Amino acid sequence: MKRRKAIEFYSTNGSEKYTGDCPRWIAITRRLRPDLRERTVIVYGNGRWPCLGC
């Protein structure tokens, strides 16, 4: 199984959680959703993460 680093954005109350590794998506999410916290996570598999054509 493929292992990769990704960024997880999450809300403080746990109602929202988004994971992705696309640099453009990470930059846009940081800019548009400053209310979300972020952390680096290790994910396994190919996943269906958001990507903006990087």
Side-chain angles (χ1 to χ4, degrees):
M1 217 184 279
K2 193 172 185 180
R3 186 176 93 164
R4 50 195 330 181
K5 257 186 180 179
I7 300 291
E8 180 180 75
F9 291 95
Y10 61 97
S11 61
T12 54
N13 63 2
S15 64
E16 295 179 86
K17 189 186 286 189
Y18 309 104
T19 305
D21 63 347
C22 171
R24 288 184 189 171
W25 176 80
I26 292 168
I28 289 171
T29 304
R30 283 178 179 153
R31 207 171 314 125
L32 297 179
R33 295 295 308 270
D35 58 314
L36 295 177
R37 295 184 179 198
E38 69 177 87
R39 62 182 163 209
T40 303
V41 294
I42 301 294
V43 291
Y44 295 90
N46 293 329
R48 293 206 31 94
W49 302 309
C51 185
L52 300 173
C54 295

